[in-house]
Amino acid sequence: MGERKPFMAANWKMNLSLDEAEDLLTKLTKATIDFKRVDLLVAPPFTILQLAREILAGTEILLAGQNMHWEKNGAYTGEISPLMLKEAGCSHVILGHSERRTLFFESNDIVNRKVDAALSEGLIPIICIGETLQEREENKTSDIIRIQLEESLKTSCQRRSLPNHVILAYEPVWAIGTGRTATPQQAQEVHSFIRLWIKNTFDHKTGQAIKILYGGSVRPDNSKELMSQPDIDGSLIGGASLSAESFLSIVRFYEA
Ligand code: PGA
């Protein structure tokens, strides 16, 4: 893993009431976490951001939006701008999650616009990519990942520069919420492909520094082995991040 500090991100998706969120966030703030060894981020629904900001104030736990629009403001009913996320206390934003791509028709082009907007507004994008089961079975995984990278980072590719604090998340669609995790070897293979692509497209230093998270049915019992892979730098955790106990046990993989 070298210089890359492990990064654990909780994606709550459309879950938890205010009371449940308060309970979970309070437990996270009280837990003993070695922040020298791991960074921690929580991405709650928009309506919980304000509460999360208050509870997490003064802690090292980071806050993210789960999505955003690429424009600064305007007639975009139902949308949230990068600045609004920043004002709500977010330093990061998850972009191009497979649920956004599949259920809300987000194309690579839309993801590219959002990545640009996040970067110009000073938010760190966590950019999700991953293949479907059919694509994997047809041996198309690396083609799909390459196309997603090329197109979701199109503007950055044209400029030939990508800030090395951008975070990528490899989430095989067939592993999300299904209980079916990629084996550590399957995940490592794709992570190493992604890192090589970043090195070849940008430069060696960016490729070495960029964090690549794995997401898809990460649990306390598989976190340590995933984290032992050389190119897996952390996790994006859905279901298992909704309970303090399981999330903390994933976060504290270094103790296991
Ligand atoms: P999961 O979700 O951990 O519930 O599979 C991961 C994600 O979608 O980010």
Side-chain angles (χ1 to χ4, degrees):
M1 232 168 326
E3 307 269 289
R4 298 184 298 272
K5 185 174 174 192
F7 192 99
M8 296 295 185
N11 175 12
W12 289 5
K13 309 192 181 185
M14 197 173 72
N15 291 299
L16 302 186
S17 66
L18 277 177
D19 283 350
E20 288 165 337
E22 183 171 358
D23 181 57
L24 174 50
L25 289 164
T26 308
K27 284 181 179 151
L28 297 185
T29 60
K30 290 190 176 150
T32 314
I33 299 160
D34 186 351
F35 287 102
K36 288 198 190 71
R37 300 177 77 170
V38 66
D39 281 325
L40 203 65
L41 173 141
V42 180
F46 296 136
T47 50
I48 297 179
L49 285 173
Q50 183 61 31
L51 172 78
R53 179 189 205 170
E54 284 162 23
I55 297 177
L56 300 179
T59 75
E60 293 188 59
I61 303 175
L62 302 162
L63 203 53
Q66 296 176 14
N67 177 36
M68 60 165 216
H69 197 272
W70 61 85
E71 291 291 351
K72 285 185 169 46
N73 53 22
Y76 301 102
T77 303
E79 294 290 334
I80 291 268
S81 76
L83 191 61
M84 289 170 186
L85 285 184
K86 278 185 80 180
E87 282 184 345
C90 295
S91 51
H92 292 64
V93 58
I94 299 173
L95 296 178
H97 189 280
S98 73
E99 286 148 19
R100 302 276 341 150
R101 291 174 184 267
T102 317
L103 303 172
F104 304 100
F105 314 110
E106 277 191 19
S107 60
N108 287 325
D109 177 52
I110 289 179
V111 178
N112 178 55
R113 289 191 208 190
K114 292 184 176 191
V115 170
D116 283 353
L119 290 175
S120 44
E121 299 297 331
L123 279 168
I124 299 179
I126 301 175
I127 307 158
C128 303
I129 50 177
E131 82 287 2
T132 62
L133 185 58
Q134 193 184 343
E135 288 160 349
R136 173 160 284 264
E137 283 172 348
E138 290 171 0
N139 284 326
K140 291 187 182 149
T141 301
S142 29
D143 284 345
I144 295 295
I145 297 291
R146 184 180 44 74
I147 292 166
Q148 286 177 337
L149 286 166
E150 272 169 13
E151 296 184 359
S152 307
L153 297 175
K154 194 168 171 193
T155 315
S156 304
C157 289
Q158 283 162 351
R159 290 196 189 120
R160 295 180 163 273
S161 87
L162 185 71
N164 61 20
H165 56 256
V166 162
I167 296 176
L168 299 173
Y170 169 57
E171 299 206 301
V173 179
W174 47 272
I176 297 178
T178 58
R180 200 178 149 183
T181 330
T183 64
Q185 293 70 28
Q186 280 173 324
Q188 167 56 28
E189 202 179 313
V190 180
H191 280 233
S192 114
F193 174 83
I194 296 170
R195 195 174 306 288
L196 189 63
W197 186 87
I198 296 285
K199 284 180 183 171
N200 291 339
T201 308
F202 299 98
D203 54 70
H204 184 83
K205 211 167 137 213
T206 308
Q208 267 311 107
I210 213 151
K211 287 181 193 179
I212 310 173
L213 314 183
Y214 169 79
S217 298
V218 176
R219 297 180 306 267
D221 65 349
N222 58 24
S223 168
K224 192 181 172 207
E225 214 190 331
L226 285 162
M227 288 304 290
S228 69
Q229 301 300 313
D231 289 300
I232 299 184
D233 307 314
S235 298
L236 184 53
I237 305 134
S241 73
L242 298 173
S243 119
E245 197 190 4
S246 57
F247 183 53
L248 286 167
S249 126
I250 294 170
V251 166
R252 298 197 196 110
F253 72 96
Y254 52 80
E255 283 176 355

